[in-house]
Amino acid sequence: AQSVTQLGSHVSVSEGALVLLRCNYSSSVPPYLFWYVQYPNQGLQLLLKYTSAATLVKGINGFEAEFKKSETSFHLTKPSAHMSDAAEYFCALGGAGNKLTFGGGTRVLVKP
Amino acid sequence: EAQVTQNPRYLITVTGKKLTVTCSQNMNHEYMSWYRQDPGLGLRQIYYSMNVEVTDKGDVPEGYKVSRKEKRNFPLILESPSPNQTSLYFCASSFREGGAGSPLHFGNGTRLTVT
C-alpha cells in the first residue's frame, strides 16, 4: 500500500530563513510525487511535481524539491522564507484512479 | 479561466437531511474525484470518475454517492448525512490519472457541518 509521511505538523521559520519541509513515501512502483500549498479558505495549488525526468525539481514561488530514491524522500525547500509563504503544505503520491495519497500536512508559520 | 467550481462554499445541515454538493470543471478533463480533508489526516479520496458513467470508490466512500452524467459535472450526494461527515470537501479534476503524473486541479472547497 502507498503511504506518505510528513514530519512535523507545524514549522516556524523566521523571514529570510531556510524553509525545509520533510516528506517520506512508500510505494511499490516508481513514484510520481507532488507538493501542494493551501492558503486559508482556498483549494490546493500545485507547487511542483516529480515525474522521473530530474531528481531536483523547481516549482513556483522559489520552492524546489529533491527526490532521493535511496531515502524514499521528497523534501521541499526554499532558501529564504517570505511572509507570503505562511500556509499549509501537502506532499502527495500519485496512484491509480486519479488518486493522490496525501501526507498529513505541515503548517508553516513565518515570523517577521 | 481554467477552473474547478464547487458550490456551496459553506453548508450547515441536520442529520439525515439529503444534500448535494456540485462540482464543475471547464478544462475538458477526463478524471474527476472527491476528497475530504480532516485535521492531521491530509486529504482522503471518497470517489473518483474516469469518464462519463464510470465511477469507482476511493478510500472512504461510505455514506456518499456520486454520478457522472456529463463530462464537466461530478456532484457529491449525501443521502443521510451524519455528524462524522462534518469536514472540508474538495473536488478535483485532471487530464490523466494522478498515478501517471498528471496533477490535480482543485476547487476551493465546501465546508460542511452536520449537526
Side-chain angles (χ1 to χ4, degrees), chain B residues 44-83:
Chain B
R44 294 175 292 168
Q45 191 186 57
I46 302 171
Y47 268 95
Y48 68 93
S49 170
M50 294 167 281
N51 212 325
V52 174
E53 302 290 3
V54 182
T55 63
D56 206 348
K57 297 176 180 178
D59 291 328
V60 288
E62 293 77 21
Y64 304 95
K65 285 178 58 178
V66 293
S67 68
R68 187 98 179 268
K69 293 182 169 51
E70 305 166 282
K71 194 173 186 178
R72 62 183 292 124
N73 296 323
F74 191 46
L76 179 69
I77 302 158
L78 285 72
E79 296 218 327
S80 184
S82 62

Side-chain angles (χ1 to χ4, degrees), chain A residues 94-111:
Chain A
N98 202 31
K99 175 181 171 179
L100 293 186
T101 299
F102 285 85
T106 299
R107 190 172 297 277
V108 173
L109 172 66
V110 182
K111 298 177 292 185

Side-chain angles (χ1 to χ4, degrees), chain A residues 32 36 41 95 97-100, chain B residues 9 35 59 94 97 99 104:
Chain A
Y32 291 104
Y36 284 86
N41 298 316
N98 202 31
K99 175 181 171 179
L100 293 186
Chain B
R9 289 294 308 274
Y35 288 80
D59 291 328
S94 65
E97 281 186 322
L104 272 61

